Amino acid sequence: AAAGIDAVLVPTIEEQQYSTPRETRLEFYEAWFKYRLRLYAPDGSLIGEWFMTAYGKSPPEFMRSADDAFNEAVRLALRDAGAKLATGFQAIPEVKAWLDSRAGPGGA
């Protein structure tokens, strides 16, 4: 195990979907990602595995350019993923159990 490494988080994109105004008949682009997240201990053992989805939709002001609108939808989907990971990480049962086990007697 590498010194100072508590765990390694490995995200994998399992599915991705994009939609355009032509497909939806609406004035925005959408991006949706489904991630499989795996958390490993430094010795390579799996601590936990779970799925997470992320979504982004470009606001109408980005419709001047298809590239800008698409990029904004993807950027918002990535931001959604980051926010979900930051706020929900400790709520994953396997992660919670692992964190609790590291806290030692009497909690953190």
Side-chain angles (χ1 to χ4, degrees):
I5 302 293
D6 294 323
V8 176
L9 181 64
V10 179
T12 305
I13 296 175
E14 293 287 310
E15 295 179 47
Q16 57 189 2
Q17 295 178 5
Y18 307 100
S19 65
T20 66
R22 177 185 289 171
E23 295 166 332
T24 62
R25 300 196 196 312
L26 301 171
E27 291 297 316
F28 53 81
Y29 286 75
E30 294 176 298
W32 178 85
F33 297 94
K34 179 179 180 183
Y35 297 92
R36 177 189 305 260
L37 297 141
R38 293 182 180 105
L39 186 66
Y40 293 96
D43 67 4
S45 62
L46 183 66
I47 295 168
E49 177 179 37
W50 65 98
F51 290 96
M52 180 182 73
T53 59
Y55 173 77
K57 176 174 79 172
S58 63
E61 60 265 22
F62 282 90
M63 290 307 297
R64 285 171 270 149
S65 157
D67 286 345
D68 287 348
F70 176 76
N71 289 340
E72 181 65 5
V74 171
R75 187 187 74 77
L76 290 172
L78 292 171
R79 189 172 103 185
D80 184 45
K84 285 182 177 178
L85 186 59
T87 60
F89 185 71
Q90 294 180 352
I92 303 300
E94 297 91 345
V95 172
K96 183 175 179 347
W98 174 71
L99 289 170
D100 289 347
S101 73
R102 296 177 50 80

